Amino acid sequence: MEQIVKLITDNKIPVGPIGKQFFSFLTTNFSVFFDSVASFFTFLLEGLVSVLLWFPPLILVAAIVALAYYLQKSWKLALGVLLGLLFIVNQGLWKQTIETIVLVCAAAGTSMLIGVPLGIWAAHNPRIYKFMLPVLDLMQTMPTFVYLIPVLILFGLGVAPGLIVTVIFAAPAPIRLTHLGITSVPRPLIEAGEAFGATKSQLLWKVELPSALPTIMAGLTQCIMLSLSMVVIAALIGANGLGSPVVRALNSLNIPLGIEAGLAIVVLAIIIDRMCRVSNGVKS
């Protein structure tokens, strides 16, 4: 038995060296492309952060509170959002909060732009979904730190690799839930649309998507929360935001800073979750 084990271990499959050669090939031949992508996302995200930080914090707080009330029609939620954001401002973490909001919104938006069309395509092509399923499982089960390495090699440090890693982590949720929503549309609805002579495009836009919308919006909520859960991981590869003070606190054993940043992340997560519930049609 030991000889068999030794034989297996002595003939190790060179997965690591092959992977290294593959990424060396990419960085050697396509470095201009990857640098351009990183520069574009960095310019876009940092530009949005700069625009938002141009406004006084209290103006943005008031705008977010007004948006919360408009969405939820609840003065209690609006008051909670106001108190939560004022707490963040009080702790001196407003700049990091804006950076986190921009990163989360960009990652969630990109994930939805990728996930919804892929989910619709997979719902109409079962073979495609069977092919996508192991890829989605891999994206959701692989430890985040594993694909930090290739992303860092290709895109370097900064907000761009943070965005890409977050999209990889969050995109499976809208794909799966869009597929679930489309495939769960009652068959009589589709048959009624076909009976009235609706084309495939009309069936999609006027029957399937309206029926699947609550499930798709649940995918958006999950996507946002998954993106927010990546802020600390993104900070490890140079993305700014509320994850940065957490990482600094961890490195220096700064307990007060860690508690402040951790509470700010929790407050922001609660605010986003409560505001996004309106999109699902769920009233608190």
Side-chain angles (χ1 to χ4, degrees):
M1 185 64 70
E2 293 180 358
Q3 293 179 349
I4 295 176
V5 173
K6 188 175 184 304
L7 178 64
I8 294 174
T9 54
D10 288 344
N11 294 275
K12 181 179 178 180
I13 300 174
V15 177
I18 292 173
K20 181 180 179 181
Q21 291 177 3
F22 174 70
F23 285 105
S24 297
F25 170 78
L26 290 179
T27 53
T28 301
N29 296 278
F30 300 98
S31 60
V32 175
F33 169 75
F34 292 115
D35 290 343
S36 300
V37 171
S39 299
F40 170 75
F41 283 125
T42 300
F43 172 78
L44 183 63
L45 296 180
E46 291 184 351
L48 287 173
V49 170
S50 298
V51 169
L52 291 176
L53 289 177
W54 181 81
F55 294 95
L58 294 181
I59 298 296
L60 281 181
V61 168
I64 296 173
V65 170
L67 178 62
Y69 181 79
Y70 173 77
L71 292 174
Q72 188 75 11
K73 298 296 187 295
S74 169
W75 67 267
K76 293 181 181 179
L77 173 66
L79 179 60
V81 171
L82 175 62
L83 294 177
L85 293 178
L86 288 179
F87 168 78
I88 291 174
V89 174
N90 173 261
Q91 296 300 304
L93 295 170
W94 182 250
K95 181 177 183 292
Q96 292 88 339
T97 300
I98 292 298
E99 291 168 342
T100 296
I101 291 174
V102 169
L103 178 61
V104 168
C105 290
T110 304
S111 298
M112 292 299 290
L113 286 175
I114 296 171
V116 172
L118 286 179
I120 294 172
W121 186 32
H124 291 117
N125 297 272
R127 290 183 179 178
I128 296 297
Y129 186 66
K130 288 181 180 179
F131 173 77
M132 290 170 56
L133 198 56
V135 178
L136 297 176
D137 292 339
L138 180 66
M139 292 169 66
Q140 289 187 304
T141 57
M142 180 179 291
T144 310
F145 288 97
V146 174
Y147 51 78
L148 282 182
I149 299 172
V151 171
L152 275 175
I153 292 172
L154 297 177
F155 297 98
L157 289 169
V159 67
L163 173 65
I164 293 168
V165 168
T166 305
V167 169
I168 293 173
F169 183 70
I175 295 175
R176 289 182 186 275
L177 286 170
T178 300
H179 173 270
L180 175 64
I182 296 296
T183 54
S184 299
V185 175
R187 185 63 192 171
L189 279 179
I190 298 177
E191 291 175 350
E194 292 173 341
F196 282 101
T199 63
K200 290 185 177 180
S201 177
Q202 290 172 330
L203 281 174
L204 174 64
W205 288 101
K206 296 184 178 182
V207 177
E208 293 178 333
L209 284 179
S211 178
L213 188 60
T215 307
I216 294 174
M217 297 311 294
L220 172 61
T221 302
Q222 279 199 18
C223 189
I224 292 174
M225 301 311 294
L226 288 170
S227 299
L228 186 58
S229 70
M230 286 291 291
V231 294
V232 177
I233 303 298
L236 293 174
I237 55 177
N240 295 321
L242 289 171
S244 296
V246 174
V247 174
R248 290 202 309 270
L250 182 63
N251 291 333
S252 60
L253 296 179
N254 189 335
I255 296 177
L257 179 61
I259 293 174
E260 293 166 3
L263 285 176
I265 293 173
V266 171
V267 168
L268 185 60
I270 293 172
I271 289 172
I272 293 176
D273 177 63
R274 295 297 181 182
M275 290 177 65
C276 288
R277 286 189 180 190
V278 176
S279 299
N280 291 335
V282 178
K283 296 291 183 180
S284 296

